[in-house]
Amino acid sequence: MAFEGLTEKISSAFKGLRSKGRLTEADVKDAMREIRMALLEADVNFKVAKDFIKAVTEKATDAEILDSLSPAQQVIKIVNEELIALLGGQTTRLTIAPNPPTIVMMVGLQGAGKTTNCAKLAGLLRKQQQRRPLLVACDVYRPAAIDQLKVVGRQLDITVFDEGQGDPVEIAKHGIDHAKRNGYDLVFLDTAGRLHIDEKLMDELKNIKAAVTPTEIILVVDAMTGQDAVTVSQTFDQALGINGVLMSKMDGDARGGAALSVKAVTGKPIKFIGTGEKLGDIEPFHPDRMASRILG
Ligand code: GDP
């Protein structure tokens, strides 16, 4: 799981603070320098790391904190609070449409984990909220993508709507009609991805968005691609507008920089994380729990 190196280095900075008893401003600044290095080594965006350290230092070098009975504890508490804020503050749930079905458009680059995570997310919400999900195969360019959606759908016993390789906008509309007629209250549109962001991909996604007015657009990004995942999030958000991010492959990412940077850079929260290859390996993203995990 992510953040191994970061946890170790932050613990070491905290240990230094705890060993001191009384703290001076210089002690805090030394510790913050260590934490800043640790963040950069974890591949956190440069500006994000800088702003984070600035915010913590301003609060932690306040005379009231330095003169308190347990200054190290206070500083650690500030780091924890700022880390939670950096990760998005509150847990951000998927918006549910007042009139069903809720339509979730899943977008992302090829290989990010879109198809797998459509099924994972459908399975999670069926279990947690007793929803009736339908998966709609709108990735018409790769025949393998439709088959793959059917395979994961079958494994979880979730229905897949497909019309083979037709027009993705029409398929999306027909899929939603099918959901309405058959009592499915949650529709996932598995859209096409490409190896790189290009105009054609964005145009197609914009057309689907305009035709079906999705309740949410969730971008799936691969945590293992580090800052590229953050850039991809920014580009998708600017071109299409996204509601949140599903960060896949957190299990394979030892550093964690993408997860720590994406909210600060894009303003859009991580809503879910993928934590393994199995179809049950998905969790809602809880900034407070993640901060505790990072701080060890
Ligand atoms: P798509 O091209 O975006 O639809 O990506 P896929 O859904 O085909 O996923 C690409 C690969 O990533 C597959 O082998 C998935 O099993 C794998 N994958 C997806 N999510 C995760 C995850 O959270 N952890 C791990 N380890 N693998 C994942």
Side-chain angles (χ1 to χ4, degrees):
M1 194 59 171
F3 310 120
E4 283 154 24
L6 187 59
T7 299
E8 201 183 302
K9 293 193 182 94
I10 293 182
S11 298
S12 141
F14 285 173
K15 212 164 143 197
L17 285 177
R18 280 204 198 92
S19 69
K20 288 208 160 77
R22 281 191 66 82
L23 292 182
T24 64
E25 201 172 311
D27 292 330
V28 173
K29 285 190 172 158
D30 282 347
M32 290 311 133
R33 245 189 303 276
E34 266 183 71
I35 294 180
R36 182 167 170 275
M37 280 306 296
L39 290 171
L40 294 178
E41 279 169 33
D43 192 32
V44 172
N45 171 286
F46 183 80
K47 187 171 180 301
V48 171
K50 193 169 154 227
D51 292 348
F52 176 80
I53 293 299
K54 188 162 170 263
V56 174
T57 308
E58 265 169 27
K59 290 185 182 163
T61 51
D62 191 277
E64 230 173 275
I65 301 288
L66 295 176
D67 294 340
S68 67
L69 277 178
S70 50
Q73 260 336 101
Q74 303 281 354
V75 174
I76 292 167
K77 189 162 162 263
I78 293 168
V79 173
N80 184 44
E81 285 163 4
E82 290 297 320
L83 202 52
I84 294 171
L86 183 65
L87 291 163
Q90 301 277 331
T91 301
T92 320
R93 292 172 187 279
L94 192 77
T95 308
I96 298 299
N99 299 312
T102 295
I103 301 164
V104 184
M105 190 172 157
M106 301 287 280
V107 301
L109 293 182
Q110 199 172 304
K114 205 170 358 75
T115 303
T116 321
N117 282 292
C118 268
K120 282 184 177 183
L121 197 48
L124 180 76
L125 294 169
R126 178 179 60 187
K127 192 169 99 192
Q128 285 195 333
Q129 305 181 357
Q130 288 76 49
R131 308 249 166 230
R132 278 198 76 206
L134 176 72
L135 307 177
V136 180
C138 301
D139 182 355
V140 296
Y141 305 104
R142 290 186 309 134
I146 302 174
D147 292 338
Q148 192 195 344
L149 191 66
K150 287 185 187 164
V151 168
V152 286
R154 204 175 306 127
Q155 281 172 8
L156 287 175
D157 197 19
I158 294 173
T159 309
V160 175
F161 178 91
D162 91 284
E163 291 181 337
Q165 287 163 282
D167 172 3
V169 173
E170 291 304 313
I171 297 172
K173 285 202 248 174
H174 298 160
I176 292 161
D177 287 343
H178 182 82
K180 285 179 183 159
R181 279 199 307 273
N182 295 280
Y184 295 99
D185 56 6
L186 183 56
V187 178
F188 289 91
L189 306 177
D190 183 26
T191 65
R194 280 181 228 278
L195 289 175
H196 299 284
I197 297 170
D198 59 33
E199 218 168 298
K200 218 169 139 220
L201 167 70
M202 281 304 170
D203 283 346
E204 178 176 313
L205 297 177
K206 282 179 197 168
N207 289 340
I208 297 177
K209 179 184 177 184
V212 307
T213 327
T215 318
E216 290 227 345
I217 300 180
I218 297 290
L219 173 69
V220 181
V221 291
D222 176 346
M224 288 163 71
T225 62
Q227 289 311 301
D228 278 348
V230 180
T231 311
V232 166
S233 306
Q234 211 171 10
T235 310
F236 267 85
D237 191 38
Q238 282 161 0
L240 187 68
I242 62 172
N243 298 89
V245 171
L246 188 159
M247 191 152 292
S248 70
K249 310 188 199 180
M250 287 288 281
D251 52 305
D253 171 36
R255 301 205 287 171
L260 280 161
S261 312
V262 82
K263 174 72 192 334
V265 172
T266 65
K268 298 298 159 72
I270 300 176
K271 295 202 174 195
F272 300 94
I273 50 173
T275 55
E277 283 192 49
K278 292 200 292 292
L279 293 176
D281 293 336
I282 184 165
E283 299 170 14
F285 182 67
H286 299 296
D288 52 349
R289 287 186 211 167
M290 194 56 78
S292 303
R293 197 187 288 180
I294 294 170
L295 297 184

